Amino acid sequence: MTSSYGSKPRHTSSSPFAPKVEAVVEVFEVGDRVCHDLYGLGVVTHLDSHAATVDFGEQSVRIKPPYAKLQHL
């Protein structure tokens, strides 16, 4: 919901409703060592605007943002 001025409504500290939390998108670079919850350890081999390609040794997997299961090492 937006106000008449086009901005988001302010969240007051006394409100019983929590403000919406925006997802933080990790920033990866080619060569970064990463760990994935399903695939294990890997290295970022390619980046484009829609996904990161990670080599996990036996397979390469294209992972889309917000990279929920992918962490830097």
Side-chain angles (χ1 to χ4, degrees):
M1 181 176 177
T2 59
S3 68
S4 60
Y5 297 107
S7 63
K8 291 182 181 179
R10 265 188 354 193
H11 177 74
T12 58
S13 60
S14 62
S15 174
F17 304 103
K20 292 182 181 179
V21 178
E22 295 184 19
V24 176
V25 178
E26 292 269 351
V27 177
F28 294 98
E29 295 181 11
V30 173
D32 283 351
R33 296 188 63 186
V34 294
C35 181
H36 191 274
D37 290 349
L38 297 176
Y39 302 111
L41 299 174
V43 177
V44 177
T45 57
H46 181 73
L47 292 170
D48 59 28
S49 60
H50 302 290
T53 304
V54 182
D55 180 19
F56 292 104
E58 297 176 0
Q59 62 182 340
S60 289
V61 180
R62 232 174 140 232
I63 302 173
K64 296 180 181 180
Y67 311 114
K69 298 182 179 182
L70 194 64
Q71 297 91 24
H72 282 102
L73 290 181

